[in-house]
Amino acid sequence: MTGPIRNLDCRPTRGIKDLYIRSNDFRKAEDEGSGSKKGNTEDVDFESYWAVLSSSLHEIHTKNASSLSFEELYRNAYKLVLKKKGEPLYLNVTAFEKRWLIEVIRPRILAALSPSLLNRHGVADSTSAIEKRGVGELLLKSLKNAWDDHLLCMNMTTDVLMYMERVYCTDNQKPSIFIASMAQFRDYVLRAVIPSHNDLTVAMVLNSVIMEQIRMEREGDFIDTALIRSCIYMLEGLYETGEEKSTKLYLTSFEPEYLAASQAFYASEGSSILANADAGTFCRHAKKRANEEQDRCRSTLSTLTLPKIKAIVENELIKKNIREVINLEVSGVKFMLDNDRLNELEMVYDLISRVDPKKEDLQTTVQARIIQLGTELNTSAINASRASNTKPPKPPPKPDGDRPDGETKAPAEKPLSIQTAAAIKWIDDVLQLKEKYDNVLAKAFQSDQGFHAAFSRSFTDFINAFERSSEYLSLFFDENLKKGIKGKTENEVDSLIDQGITLLQYIQDKDMFERYYKKHLSKRLLMKRSISTDGERQMISKMKMTVGNSFTQKIENMFNDIAMSEDLTSSYKRHVSQLGDADPKRVDLDVNVLTSTMWPLEIMTPNHEDRQTNCLFPPQIERIKHGFEKFYLDQHSGRKLMWQSSMGTADMRGYFPEMKGTKKTRELNVSTYAMIILMLYNDLLPGESLTCEEIQAKTNIPVNDLKRNLQSLAVAQKSRVLLKEPMSKDVKNDDRFFFNERFFSQFQRVKIGVVTSGNNVEDTDERAETEKKNDATRGGTVEAAIVRIMKQRKELSHQGLISEVIQQLTPRFMPDVNMVKKRIESLLEREYLERIEGAERPAYRYMA
């Protein structure tokens, strides 16, 4: 038996079959003794009875009990207790056990003590590992054997003295013989002072040997864990006083010393490994140590020690070193992140989770790295934008190439300008960074919600630190939603859009993004460049789910305008057909009627000074305009139509008398402005020309738009419907333009696009103008929020009002406190609010 003994009910039954005494025999013996009054008064010879018992006990201890009659021994002990001899019997038995332990057992244990063990701290350092293990195991085996023999003998002895324990010990509140003998083993064996070493006891040496064996195991040597476990069972089965769990010798004698030694060991080892190994090695070793200590407590020591040794390993090895491990310059968390060391990051996460539930050091380091990488992306985008501004201007790109009707080949994709390409690259780089850290979060950080929030804050910080993030994200959507995207499948485009929607969550100035998105969307819708209407609506649906219905309301109205315009155009064509106008040269008209408050009209009239300029259309076009206006206003009285020609297109048939070949006509797809310019030449004689200045006077087309369209018609090589004198890339006011009667194209249908720089990114002046417009819009939004709050609250302090306004508007944009104050002052001046006189703090009252 090597397990801990807590009380009499725990000891095993005897294993000797022929010595088994049935309970009926014991009951019969008791009945015979108690049924005779004469027996109760007869005297017994204690010495003769004890001589028999003493001899039997000796036989039991010398493992020679096979010839004993346990029934007879039980009757003898029973008679002594019955004749009031329980006390001398009890004293004699305990004295016998004491002598046996002192005279027989203790010498055996002392004989197993090697001189090298008598050092208080265990084996000398010069002793080899094999010698250390050998001398230690000799003592452990001696104690194990002595303990096992003692348990076996005392189990058999208590069976013999069962009646004494049940009657005498209970009546006199004496500890049972078993418990008393356990205490004797503690006092006369474990606490025995070693001769010539008055400061040492067997227990002290035992503790040192066990700890030395464990130290050897920690250093990689093999030890007999089962042997150590047997001795630990012994310490768990012995108590300081009584049988209270807290007084186990294991807890009072061995464990404190073991924990102190372990604390010193791991404090030293942590410093040593940190000085000589990289972060990954440290993490692997620390995790290995934690697992080893857990296994050691379960297989070698006691599970009672598990939470305590776990705390020591976590504190000494992990908590005191983890910050330095994370911040190691060459191999720390930054290195792991940059080199995708996900396994090592997972170990760091596991270790810091043991000592810090919030994992602040790891979070801070990862956040700092995300912001650092994001800032580098911002800097690269800014540098690319500046570089493009400093390069010499390139010749204007050619307009869209012409291609024949029915051609199925996709048109060539226009090359992006440097600034536009830099904008798309910035978004792509941010998405790659997001994907990388999403992977880190899932595989290394167990999708920890705290880290997810920390990552979101980091991306929010560096994305909003870049002032063009809203514009660049809108450009990213624009490029992926346009027709003619090469190299990407529909699923790939959808995936990119989903990722872009994720970035939209990080942008704080969502009103600025909305402004840019409406600008780019209007071009896609009006110039029919979108992949599909369904794709656009799916995009809006995703945005609505991410940022709310109020954000997408105006954008949805833009789609409604396009759908209603298609129905309106169909109705107008039916109306015209019912008029019976059989003019074969009548112009067909497709119109988009746009709600001015929903569309970014500055896109259609980019220059502020040209916004009120009315383009002069040819007479036949004017008649069509007036006819549509009458048709529309008859159905919608009280409305006003303002024609915006800058975004329109026209299909024309041109006749070129000197064109090679038999067919002298070509169909031209041009802008509305180009149509107006070309129709001027119907009224000129062959060979006559117009200057740029004359064309501007006849058409009232804004100068910038006029020059761009003239470049498309006269400079681009494949679309020279006009001839320019002198021939140059730039258009001056006195340049002359002739109709090119010899124009030739191998395609029947020729598309002449308007010359653009290919750059969709705003320059500094355009950016400043956009911000100015956005600030004006924000002013109205702030005022509306103030009125809404005050109308509900009636009275509110100045600080409270500012806080509530900021809280309400933050989902849309981050309000500037000074702007809020200015809008409050404006409302005070206009008597929407009034100051509350006599208030302790500045406060306002709503005036209905």
Side-chain angles (χ1 to χ4, degrees):
M1 174 65 181
T2 57
I5 302 300
R6 294 177 174 84
N7 50 53
L8 290 176
D9 293 334
C10 296
R11 64 181 186 272
T13 58
R14 299 193 304 278
I16 305 174
K17 185 176 181 181
D18 60 324
L19 297 183
Y20 176 70
I21 302 175
R22 294 175 299 171
S23 60
N24 290 336
D25 295 334
F26 284 120
R27 191 175 298 111
K28 180 179 178 183
E30 291 177 18
D31 292 341
E32 290 176 354
S34 59
S36 173
K37 293 183 179 181
K38 182 178 179 182
N40 288 338
T41 58
E42 282 184 359
D43 229 350
V44 294
D45 184 358
F46 176 81
E47 293 302 329
S48 62
Y49 276 90
W50 169 245
V52 173
L53 287 173
S54 176
S55 175
S56 299
L57 292 177
H58 185 273
E59 295 298 320
I60 290 173
H61 281 70
T62 56
K63 301 180 181 179
N64 191 27
S66 60
S67 60
L68 298 178
S69 171
F70 278 79
E71 181 178 0
E72 182 181 351
L73 294 176
Y74 176 82
R75 289 176 181 276
N76 289 340
Y78 170 76
K79 289 179 179 179
L80 289 175
V81 175
L82 201 63
K83 300 302 181 179
K84 308 302 181 182
K85 301 297 183 181
E87 183 175 358
L89 176 60
Y90 181 86
L91 295 176
N92 281 15
V93 172
T94 54
F96 175 88
E97 294 300 333
K98 177 180 178 181
R99 287 195 307 273
W100 180 263
L101 292 172
I102 293 175
E103 296 173 2
V104 179
I105 303 302
R106 188 159 70 186
R108 294 177 186 173
I109 302 303
L110 294 177
L113 290 172
S114 170
S116 59
L117 287 179
L118 299 181
N119 181 338
R120 173 67 197 269
H121 300 290
V123 183
D125 292 338
S126 60
T127 309
S128 67
I130 296 177
E131 292 174 334
K132 292 177 184 179
R133 185 166 57 249
V135 297
E137 288 180 354
L138 181 61
L139 174 63
L140 296 177
K141 288 179 181 177
S142 297
L143 281 170
K144 173 187 179 300
N145 293 335
W147 173 251
D148 289 345
D149 290 345
H150 188 64
L151 283 179
L152 179 61
C153 295
M154 295 317 300
N155 279 325
M156 298 173 72
T157 302
T158 50
D159 281 345
V160 172
L161 302 175
M162 188 183 302
Y163 187 73
M164 181 190 73
E165 292 189 350
R166 193 164 57 198
V167 177
Y168 171 77
C169 295
T170 302
D171 292 345
N172 293 276
Q173 296 183 347
K174 295 281 187 180
S176 68
I177 287 296
F178 186 87
I179 294 176
S181 66
M182 296 300 107
Q184 288 175 322
F185 189 92
R186 175 196 66 202
D187 295 336
Y188 302 125
V189 177
L190 292 182
R191 291 179 176 173
V193 176
I194 300 172
S196 72
H197 292 78
N198 295 331
D199 59 337
L200 284 180
T201 64
V202 173
M204 292 178 182
V205 179
L206 172 63
N207 289 350
S208 296
V209 168
I210 293 176
M211 287 189 291
E212 177 63 23
Q213 295 280 312
I214 291 174
R215 186 190 66 80
M216 292 169 60
E217 185 182 41
R218 285 171 176 165
E219 293 177 356
D221 291 328
F222 175 78
I223 63 172
D224 190 343
T225 57
L227 184 59
I228 296 174
R229 183 60 172 157
S230 297
C231 294
I232 295 298
Y233 276 141
M234 175 185 68
L235 294 177
E236 285 189 297
L238 298 174
Y239 298 81
E240 292 284 352
T241 56
E243 287 195 334
E244 295 180 7
K245 183 177 179 180
S246 61
T247 65
K248 288 176 180 284
L249 283 190
Y250 176 83
L251 296 176
T252 60
S253 174
F254 172 77
E255 188 184 71
E257 194 172 344
Y258 169 72
L259 294 177
S262 298
Q263 185 174 9
F265 174 84
Y266 283 116
S268 174
E269 184 179 65
S271 301
S272 176
I273 296 176
L274 198 58
N276 299 294
D278 59 26
T281 301
F282 181 95
C283 292
R284 282 188 290 272
H285 185 80
K287 189 172 183 179
K288 176 187 173 187
R289 285 299 197 202
N291 292 334
E292 284 178 351
E293 291 298 339
Q294 181 173 308
D295 293 340
R296 184 173 292 116
C297 287
R298 290 173 176 169
S299 64
T300 306
L301 300 178
S302 169
T303 54
L304 297 173
T305 304
L306 181 56
K308 303 169 189 175
I309 192 66
K310 179 175 178 287
I312 287 176
V313 174
E314 291 174 352
N315 186 65
E316 298 298 329
L317 192 58
I318 301 175
K319 187 174 184 179
K320 290 184 177 180
N321 300 299
I322 193 66
R323 177 176 296 177
E324 192 169 347
V325 170
I326 289 171
N327 295 323
L328 281 175
E329 187 67 27
V330 179
S331 61
V333 168
K334 179 181 175 182
F335 169 82
M336 296 175 188
L337 291 169
D338 293 345
N339 293 275
D340 297 325
R341 300 287 186 89
L342 297 182
N343 289 335
E344 294 180 358
L345 285 169
E346 185 179 11
M347 286 190 290
V348 174
Y349 175 84
D350 176 67
L351 293 179
I352 198 170
S353 298
R354 298 168 184 257
V355 298
D356 178 15
K358 295 183 179 179
K359 300 168 275 289
E360 290 183 354
D361 289 331
L362 182 57
Q363 268 193 24
T364 301
T365 301
V366 179
Q367 278 187 276
R369 186 55 181 159
I370 293 175
I371 293 174
Q372 183 181 6
L373 293 173
T375 303
E376 291 175 3
L377 296 181
N378 294 348
T379 303
S380 297
I382 293 171
N383 291 339
S385 178
R386 290 174 179 171
S388 66
N389 290 331
T390 57
K391 289 184 178 181
K394 293 184 178 181
K398 299 176 182 178
D400 292 345
D402 38 45
R403 59 194 179 106
D405 283 341
E407 185 180 2
T408 58
K409 182 179 178 181
E413 187 177 358
K414 290 185 180 180
L416 299 176
S417 73
I418 294 177
Q419 285 184 325
T420 304
I424 303 303
K425 183 179 184 303
W426 182 81
I427 293 294
D428 287 338
D429 290 343
V430 172
L431 288 177
Q432 288 180 11
L433 186 66
K434 178 74 167 57
E435 183 179 7
K436 173 187 176 74
Y437 279 89
D438 282 347
N439 191 43
V440 170
L441 179 64
K443 295 184 178 179
F445 298 157
Q446 301 176 12
S447 299
D448 186 293
Q449 290 302 310
F451 276 83
H452 183 273
F455 285 11
S456 296
R457 290 194 297 270
S458 300
F459 277 90
T460 299
D461 288 346
F462 83 77
I463 287 175
N464 289 285
F466 185 49
E467 63 178 8
R468 289 187 177 267
S469 57
S470 297
E471 181 184 7
Y472 281 13
L473 182 57
S474 179
L475 271 174
F476 171 80
F477 288 132
D478 186 54
E479 289 299 321
N480 284 286
L481 289 170
K482 281 181 181 177
K483 287 183 176 178
I485 300 296
K486 277 192 172 182
K488 295 177 184 176
T489 66
E490 184 177 346
N491 289 336
E492 288 175 337
V493 173
D494 286 343
S495 176
L496 287 172
I497 290 173
D498 287 338
Q499 295 176 40
I501 291 291
T502 301
L503 296 189
L504 177 58
Q505 299 179 60
Y506 299 138
I507 290 180
Q508 292 177 340
D509 294 337
K510 290 184 175 63
D511 60 334
M512 184 68 86
F513 170 80
E514 180 188 359
R515 182 175 292 274
Y516 282 114
Y517 190 83
K518 287 171 63 178
K519 167 185 170 181
H520 296 136
L521 174 62
S522 65
K523 289 184 178 181
R524 292 199 300 275
L525 294 179
L526 297 177
M527 302 181 76
K528 303 186 184 326
R529 291 180 178 175
S530 179
I531 294 176
S532 69
T533 302
D534 290 340
E536 293 282 1
R537 289 190 177 277
Q538 185 179 2
M539 174 70 186
I540 301 305
S541 177
K542 292 177 180 178
M543 292 172 62
K544 183 188 297 185
M545 293 174 62
T546 303
V547 293
N549 181 58
S550 60
F551 178 81
T552 59
Q553 187 173 5
K554 289 185 178 181
I555 298 176
E556 289 177 316
N557 287 333
M558 294 170 66
F559 284 97
N560 294 337
D561 283 349
I562 295 296
M564 293 177 64
S565 296
E566 292 176 355
D567 294 340
L568 183 64
T569 299
S570 299
S571 298
Y572 177 66
K573 288 182 178 180
R574 287 195 300 271
H575 168 73
V576 171
S577 65
Q578 292 171 0
L579 293 177
D581 189 349
D583 184 0
K585 296 184 178 180
R586 181 178 179 85
V587 177
D588 287 333
L589 183 65
D590 289 335
V591 179
N592 286 318
V593 180
L594 313 178
T595 307
S596 59
T597 56
M598 301 299 171
W599 290 74
L601 296 183
E602 65 269 17
I603 301 305
M604 289 166 277
T605 54
N607 300 315
H608 181 74
E609 63 273 13
D610 296 329
R611 191 167 300 171
Q612 300 301 326
T613 301
N614 293 320
C615 176
L616 301 178
F617 289 91
Q620 56 267 52
I621 304 298
E622 280 291 339
R623 285 197 301 272
I624 298 297
K625 277 180 53 185
H626 290 311
F628 178 81
E629 287 178 358
K630 184 177 185 306
F631 168 78
Y632 181 80
L633 295 177
D634 285 345
Q635 295 183 3
H636 305 280
S637 61
R639 295 187 182 181
K640 182 180 180 181
L641 289 177
M642 296 177 60
W643 292 86
Q644 304 288 343
S645 53
S646 60
M647 298 293 289
T649 60
D651 290 332
M652 308 177 66
R653 181 176 289 109
Y655 175 71
F656 303 94
E658 300 184 22
M659 178 184 289
K660 293 185 295 182
T662 57
K663 195 169 185 178
K664 308 295 185 180
T665 60
R666 293 289 186 271
E667 291 185 6
L668 308 178
N669 177 259
V670 296
S671 70
T672 302
Y673 284 152
M675 175 200 69
I676 295 172
I677 295 170
L678 290 175
M679 290 186 71
L680 293 177
Y681 287 87
N682 287 336
D683 300 330
L684 298 182
L685 296 175
E688 290 185 346
S689 63
L690 293 170
T691 65
C692 175
E693 191 173 7
E694 290 171 342
I695 294 174
Q696 204 281 326
K698 290 177 178 293
T699 62
N700 207 25
I701 296 174
V703 176
N704 289 335
D705 290 328
L706 175 61
K707 290 183 177 181
R708 288 170 53 236
N709 279 273
L710 287 173
Q711 282 180 317
S712 301
L713 294 170
V715 177
Q717 186 174 0
K718 293 184 179 180
S719 58
R720 288 180 183 172
V721 180
L722 301 180
L723 297 175
K724 177 178 178 293
E725 288 185 1
M727 187 59 186
S728 62
K729 295 174 181 177
D730 297 328
V731 175
K732 298 179 181 178
N733 289 338
D734 56 353
D735 287 348
R736 289 200 163 270
F737 295 87
F738 299 82
F739 182 71
N740 183 10
E741 296 182 352
R742 296 184 177 182
F743 172 76
F744 174 78
S745 174
Q746 61 180 330
F747 303 113
Q748 180 62 31
R749 179 177 174 83
V750 181
K751 182 177 181 179
I752 304 176
V754 180
V755 168
T756 62
S757 63
N759 178 33
N760 294 322
V761 179
E762 292 181 335
D763 59 25
T764 305
D765 293 338
E766 290 172 334
R767 174 74 182 181
E769 181 67 18
T770 299
E771 290 179 346
K772 181 179 178 181
K773 294 173 186 173
N774 204 58
D775 286 344
T777 303
R778 284 183 177 181
T781 304
V782 171
E783 280 193 1
I786 294 172
V787 171
R788 186 167 55 249
I789 292 169
M790 291 303 299
K791 190 173 183 180
Q792 180 182 6
R793 302 292 294 275
K794 305 305 181 184
E795 293 183 0
L796 194 60
S797 68
H798 173 78
Q799 195 59 45
L801 178 57
I802 290 179
S803 297
E804 288 202 28
V805 169
I806 292 175
Q807 182 180 358
Q808 279 196 13
L809 297 181
T810 296
R812 185 165 178 79
F813 63 90
M814 185 59 68
D816 180 61
V817 175
N818 290 328
M819 176 185 287
V820 178
K821 292 180 179 178
K822 288 180 180 179
R823 305 326 296 179
I824 292 174
E825 290 297 327
S826 175
L827 291 171
L828 286 169
E829 292 174 2
R830 289 179 284 159
E831 297 184 351
Y832 282 89
L833 306 177
E834 68 174 357
R835 288 186 173 87
I836 299 177
E837 301 295 337
E840 294 182 2
R841 297 178 180 179
Y844 307 106
R845 180 183 294 113
Y846 176 70
M847 299 177 67

